[in-house]
Amino acid sequence: MRSVLFIKRRLSTTAVPSLSMSLMKLPLIVMTLLVAMAFSVLSQPSALAAEASILGVGGTKVEEGDGTSIPDSFGRDTPRDTVQGFIAALGENDYLLASNYLNLSKADNPTTIVRQFKQALDAGGRFQTDLQIDNTPEGNLTDQLPPSQENVGVIKVSDTSIPLLLERVVSKQGEQYWQFSTETLSSIPEAIENYEPTLVSRYTIASLEGKKLFDYQLADLVAALMITISSFLFTYIAVWLLYHLLAIIYPRLRDVALPLPDKVILPLAVVIMALILSEVMVYAGVSVTLREPVNRFAEIASWVAITWLLLRIIDALFTRAVNLSYKKNYTERVSILGLLRKIVKALLLIFAVIVTFGNLGFDLTTGIAALGVGGLALALGAQKTIENLVGSVVVVADSPVRIGDYCKFGTYEGTVIDIGIRSSRVRTLTRTIVTVPNGDFSSMQIENFTSRDMFRFLHQLYIKRTADIDVVFKMVKHLDKFLDEHELTNQEWNQVNILELRQDCYIIQLQAYINVTGIIEFYEKQDVLFVDILMQVRQYDVEHALPTQQLIVKQPELQAQLENEGESERVDKKADKKIATDDKLGAVNVSKDSNAVDTENENKQPEPEPEPEPKQMPKKDLLDSRYKNIHKSSGHTLARLKFKQVKNSFRFPRAKK
């Protein structure tokens, strides 16, 4: 009881959404199938009519007498042509034309025999598929029948089984062609003695009787449409339930999830529907003239669905193999599996296309021969493509890189994300994707960074030359031992040495190898090693050499410049005090004069006195004298430059002569 509740809960929580999503796709799938079936039905007469001239149907026959090719006027040269021509004549309701495909005697009534034969075929006739019927004038010589006979199907009515045999007939003119045998035709009356009306004839609406659409009985078309839709829905629901039941039971038995994805449900349903559709239509009694085109469509649909199903299974198997390779750390197999997957899928698609064209009536032997003749011309015109194909095999077989490896090639570097049949794709550090043809990729020098088993630690210390050489040498020995015994380094190559003696510093080189496989992990461990080394250097009386600039000036000239500048400053201060005293006295005199004028002329309006001009000349003269003293210094270049800078900044006017 608990398991039943679990199944119900599982179906209600997980399966129902996928079922609803799948049912939303059903109308589109059904419409596609119906359109293809209608195309197959409508194109059948025209295809059969064109086969003689286009597809090679109704081939020629060599006459025994003179060896010339004489084609049969009714297209009965091969067993397949005879069956297709007879079905086409029945579809046109031309019983006289259909009688030419039967080996009748002069006493037989052609119309009666054809009508009885059609009745038996409608009741239980099952022709072999087109690919199973031989398409050569000689017929199948390995079917354990006489060379002049060919089995193309069977009629099963009640408990009676009649083989559908063709026999090769030779005319008076020496022509050889195939017709339905006298043995098969003689058994037809006995088979239909107990004939009962078919389901289609019994349950057809009276308003549909006798009406035709596209030269087919309307009742048969409606019946075929309903049977196709109902068969597809039934098989889809059955396969869906079976899959989800296995998804519940399989993990309980094997402790692992079901390896098949739910994407196999739809193609598997189409395959089963195509297999049972023919039998359902025979059981319902759909006319053989409509059943054969539908059977041809069903066969094509079955091959397409089988290809679709196999592609899904191939994807599931290779995905499982890739995951297992990553789990067991067999990363070299990933690229090989990716290339094999694409090759297998390409071969499967080519095979499916060949079979589909064979069902459409094309002569596969002629087509393959044409491919063989045109293959050389195609190969000459597709040299680059073949080169890339060979290059992909070389890349996978030699394995310079694998999917997921970080490599450098040419002017690019990045992570390999795919190795295809024609090209490989690499994602760069800027997150762009570079596509490289495999022909060029296999001939490049490829540097694989992922294949490193350890990372190199190589850096330098710059110590000032002011340090004591004995202290420097002692520090180098200590760092060499420290680096050799550090927990992050290995014993591959650990060394600390004085690399170079420069004018301003000693260059100490530190070299070691760290056991890591990823660049991120290396950077983390490198930071730890940096800090530990700097802590060891702090124990010694040394200084790190930093980029500096030094300016050297001659001492006597600098002392003379400082004395001259001090004297100039004292002169400037005295001049400033004198100017300030003169300005103060001038202001007092002006105020006294203005008061006297005011007392004498009380009723007069005072006239504004013109403002005194600023006394800049003394200050200018002092400044000029200051810099003249500086110029008098013997060859003091720095003073002259400073004077020019100050003069340009103040922009003194030139003195008038």
Side-chain angles (χ1 to χ4, degrees), residues 80 129-134 299 303 354-356 358-359 364:
R80 186 186 299 179
T129 60
D130 289 341
L131 289 180
Q132 292 177 341
I133 301 175
D134 196 89
E299 187 175 0
W303 281 107
I354 292 175
V355 173
T356 302
N359 280 278
L364 297 182

Side-chain angles (χ1 to χ4, degrees), residues 1-9 252:
M1 183 65 183
R2 183 174 301 174
S3 61
V4 173
L5 292 176
F6 174 76
I7 292 174
K8 290 175 65 179
R9 191 184 309 113
R252 292 176 175 269

